[in-house]
Amino acid sequence: MRVSEISRNVVSHLLDLVYPRNCVWSERAVEASSPFRYLSLEAAQQLQPVTEPRCCRCGATFYGESSNRHRCGACENETFYFDEVRCAYRYTGPARSMVKALKYMDGVYMKDDIRLAIRNATDFLDFLKGAVCVPVPLTQKKREDRGYNQAELIVDCIMQHKVEKISAQEALIRTQDYDTQTFLSRTERKRNVARSFAINPNVIIDPDTRYVIVDDVFTTGATASACAATLKAAGATKVDVATFSRG
């Protein structure tokens, strides 16, 4: 853990002594009996895991029953460079509030809750067995402005669990940045992230290694696909994606 993260956590715990912690979703005080620091008991119950049936490529949820692994309509008509996606929770309700706090509200204090939520997502952790986790990188400027990379924090949370033969590596660097993509179309997002990543010059890509790109939320897949394309161009043969939430 970096010094800046330690300092933030110390300040967070000191503030807990003076002010009651409020739920990031309901904004009401968190009960002492809640296993989470910033989620109330009600919010914890509203977390929606991404479960089967789902698209075997992008991880989108299918509604109804499905006995076979198949792709959704978006994947049938889209070129993705990753192989498979697994997401822990749907990007709605408390999970969305957690990601927003982590990403936009100086939310290092959410790390313990992210770690606990991931621990409860056993299918998500099973997917990561034997993987090298690669966080989606930020540009140096954005990292300095924010003080941390939320994808790296999620990787840290994953690494705190006992997952078989798992490791982490900052295999990618970001070569250019762009404004928030929240309100952009799929085509605009793809155009923005094309050629935005490069291989870390200190890393050698192993074709026999399974790499898993880790990020906070999967939406159109543009960023994840660009990362996967970069890894595969460097020699990777198996690149999957794992995100905390699925939009």
Side-chain angles (χ1 to χ4, degrees), residues 85-132:
V85 178
R86 191 63 51 88
C87 308
Y89 296 94
R90 295 180 185 173
Y91 185 61
T92 185
R96 182 172 183 171
S97 297
M98 293 172 77
V99 169
K100 285 188 171 182
L102 177 67
K103 198 169 183 178
Y104 302 117
M105 300 172 65
D106 204 23
V108 174
Y109 60 87
M110 289 302 304
K111 190 172 179 180
D112 287 344
D113 284 359
I114 296 285
R115 177 187 55 77
L116 178 56
I118 287 175
R119 187 187 73 181
N120 295 336
T122 54
D123 185 52
F124 178 77
L125 287 175
D126 286 344
F127 179 73
L128 296 171
K129 289 180 179 178
V132 172

Side-chain angles (χ1 to χ4, degrees), residues 75-240:
C75 285
E76 292 290 350
N77 300 300
E78 186 68 60
T79 299
F80 288 129
Y81 291 96
F82 51 75
D83 297 295
E84 189 172 352
V85 178
R86 191 63 51 88
C87 308
Y89 296 94
R90 295 180 185 173
Y91 185 61
T92 185
R96 182 172 183 171
S97 297
M98 293 172 77
V99 169
K100 285 188 171 182
L102 177 67
K103 198 169 183 178
Y104 302 117
M105 300 172 65
D106 204 23
V108 174
Y109 60 87
M110 289 302 304
K111 190 172 179 180
D112 287 344
D113 284 359
I114 296 285
R115 177 187 55 77
L116 178 56
I118 287 175
R119 187 187 73 181
N120 295 336
T122 54
D123 185 52
F124 178 77
L125 287 175
D126 286 344
F127 179 73
L128 296 171
K129 289 180 179 178
V132 172
C133 294
V134 179
V136 172
L138 298 178
T139 61
Q140 186 64 31
K141 182 181 185 303
K142 178 166 281 189
R143 186 192 183 98
E144 290 174 355
D145 290 344
R146 184 171 292 170
Y148 58 93
N149 177 354
Q150 71 276 3
E152 289 180 9
L153 292 184
I154 292 173
V155 169
D156 288 344
C157 291
I158 290 170
M159 297 304 295
Q160 291 179 42
H161 300 292
K162 294 181 179 179
V163 180
E164 183 180 348
K165 297 181 180 179
I166 191 174
S167 61
Q169 188 177 56
E170 294 181 17
L172 294 170
I173 59 174
R174 196 159 211 146
T175 56
Q176 58 182 314
D177 210 351
Y178 38 79
D179 294 331
T180 179
Q181 301 206 99
T182 303
F183 303 106
L184 299 184
S185 69
R186 181 185 296 269
T187 300
E188 290 170 328
R189 290 185 184 215
K190 287 180 66 177
R191 184 170 59 245
N192 264 358
V193 298
R195 298 182 297 278
S196 291
F197 301 96
I199 298 298
N200 186 331
N202 298 317
V203 170
I204 297 176
I205 300 302
D206 180 2
D208 296 323
T209 293
R210 174 181 171 237
Y211 295 92
V212 177
I213 298 160
V214 177
D215 207 358
D216 53 349
V217 58
F218 184 100
T219 48
T220 65
T223 298
S225 187
C227 288
T230 302
L231 287 167
K232 287 191 172 181
T237 56
K238 176 66 172 176
V239 181
D240 294 325

Side-chain angles (χ1 to χ4, degrees), residues 21-31 38-44 46 93-94 97-98:
R21 287 175 282 110
N22 288 338
C23 174
V24 294
W25 177 61
S26 68
E27 299 184 351
R28 294 190 290 269
V30 176
E31 304 91 340
Y38 295 97
L39 285 186
S40 65
L41 290 172
E42 179 187 7
Q46 293 296 321
S97 297
M98 293 172 77

